[in-house]
Amino acid sequence: MNIKETLLKAKNEKYAIPQFNINNLEWAKYILEVCEEEKSPVFLGVSSGAAKYMGGFDVIVGMVNGLKKDLNITVPVMLHLDHATTFELCKDAVDAGFDSIMFDGSKGSYEDNIKTTNEVKNYLKGQLLEAEIGKIGGEEDGIANELYFTSVEEAEDFISKTNIDMLAPALGSVHGIYKGEPDIKLDIMKEISDKTNMPLVLHGGSGIPEEILKQAVQNGICKANFNTELQLGWHKAVLEFVENNKDVYDPRKVISSGEEGLKNVAREYIRILGSKGKA
Ligand code: 13P
């Protein structure tokens, strides 16, 4: 099955493939191990900031390919560039061997968003393309964004003018930690899905209650992104370890003390999204 078919299968069968964002070798390894155990397909999300942190796109492609081979990973793994705000970043990730690209032109004008989305599409060599309209709020790579809701009309118009594979509409989810209860516009989500039949992506998955995530999947979400909760799960376990083991300085022991904390979060989202056993 190619990656487009993997995505459409999720949409048709009403489950969602998780996107777990990676920050380093350990993150990638732990996530691949969990997804293999749970037999879940996965998008490994890489923000531009995380790409820079890890050394660059070539490092990441080499690392992920090496892990897949050495750990005998058999589930579909889509290495995905998250929130690239320029054509050049998308081009570089394609050239390095990424499988899936998100061009995020939501900060510029609507017309420019359409124009650059199409330029990226024309450059692709078989990769999936995700675009964002409206503005997803919260913080991404330390930069705060305002929230601006996507309308059904805008989604229909954008899709008719671009040839994208997935759309991330801004419907109330935010990146990072929610202030109060998340207010996700599930009715608009369903209307966009019904009218366009486009695979929809939920950003800012961390902190959204289970019932809302499940409804979002029923309403057309077939890829859901998680970053912050993985970090929090890892951090809590590492803090506990460090407090009790102040004299341990081996980085392998310190970093891997968060392994189960991170893996438990990933396992829980795989269960909620219904992607367990779908690989
Ligand atoms: P969270 O950090 O809120 O889970 O968001 C992740 C995300 O949407 C990445 O694109």
Side-chain angles (χ1 to χ4, degrees):
M1 217 190 305
N2 68 29
I3 54 174
K4 184 77 188 267
E5 286 165 353
T6 306
L7 189 70
L8 292 175
K9 181 171 179 284
K11 173 124 182 127
N12 291 336
E13 294 181 16
K14 287 200 189 298
Y15 62 90
I17 302 174
Q19 173 181 312
F20 294 130
N21 280 43
I22 60 170
N23 295 287
N24 55 20
L25 168 78
E26 287 81 358
W27 242 247
K29 180 170 179 275
Y30 302 157
I31 290 165
L32 288 176
E33 285 173 344
V34 169
C35 292
E36 185 65 29
E37 267 167 44
E38 300 290 315
K39 291 282 169 273
S40 170
V42 65
F43 283 86
L44 290 183
V46 179
S47 70
S48 328
K52 214 184 223 176
Y53 175 81
M54 286 184 267
F57 295 138
D58 291 317
V59 175
I60 296 163
V61 171
M63 174 180 81
V64 170
N65 283 339
L67 284 170
K68 277 165 41 182
K69 184 162 175 269
D70 287 348
L71 301 176
N72 298 315
I73 302 297
T74 59
V75 298
V77 176
M78 281 71 75
L79 182 57
H80 175 86
L81 177 63
D82 196 23
H83 290 286
T85 50
T86 64
F87 171 82
E88 284 69 29
L89 276 170
C90 299
K91 176 180 177 298
D92 290 348
V94 169
D95 292 348
F98 273 57
D99 306 302
S100 177
I101 301 289
M102 177 192 192
F103 170 67
D104 175 2
S106 66
K107 288 181 190 71
S109 74
Y110 181 69
E111 290 69 30
D112 284 348
N113 193 355
I114 292 174
K115 184 169 165 277
T116 314
T117 299
N118 282 326
E119 282 168 10
V120 173
K121 181 74 193 181
N122 291 336
Y123 189 77
L124 297 183
K125 298 160 183 147
Q127 288 82 4
L128 290 181
L129 180 60
E130 175 182 338
E132 174 177 329
I133 49 172
K135 287 187 173 67
I136 293 162
E139 243 187 45
E140 182 79 357
D141 274 341
I143 300 161
N145 296 310
E146 58 179 311
L147 175 65
Y148 171 79
F149 289 101
T150 305
S151 68
V152 178
E153 295 70 33
E154 201 173 42
E156 285 184 300
D157 184 68
F158 191 87
I159 289 167
S160 73
K161 292 175 179 159
T162 54
N163 190 8
I164 53 172
D165 303 295
M166 321 177 246
L167 180 70
L171 296 173
S173 62
V174 304
H175 293 120
I177 295 169
Y178 286 84
K179 297 184 183 90
E181 269 287 292
D183 177 18
I184 314 290
K185 307 291 178 210
L186 291 163
D187 46 345
I188 305 180
M189 190 182 278
K190 182 163 181 1
E191 207 179 328
I192 294 176
S193 178
D194 288 348
K195 290 203 166 137
T196 66
N197 203 28
M198 174 62 56
L200 300 180
V201 181
L202 180 71
H203 281 252
S206 298
I208 300 181
E210 173 168 350
E211 268 325 297
I212 300 182
L213 283 174
K214 285 182 169 165
Q215 281 178 46
V217 173
Q218 292 308 309
N219 288 10
I221 293 294
C222 56
K223 171 172 171 281
N225 298 1
F226 304 93
N227 186 17
T228 306
E229 288 281 3
L230 296 170
Q231 299 185 348
L232 291 173
W234 175 83
H235 179 239
K236 187 166 178 274
V238 171
L239 270 188
E240 203 178 300
F241 176 83
V242 171
E243 265 160 27
N244 294 317
N245 298 276
K246 290 215 165 68
D247 53 345
V248 175
Y249 55 85
D250 181 339
R252 291 169 297 184
K253 291 189 177 141
V254 178
I255 297 173
S256 69
S257 65
E259 175 174 347
E260 276 312 304
L262 187 153
K263 283 184 167 175
N264 287 339
V265 173
R267 256 186 223 110
E268 184 63 2
Y269 283 127
I270 288 170
R271 180 187 67 74
I272 294 173
L273 299 182
S275 68
K276 185 180 166 77
K278 299 293 186 181

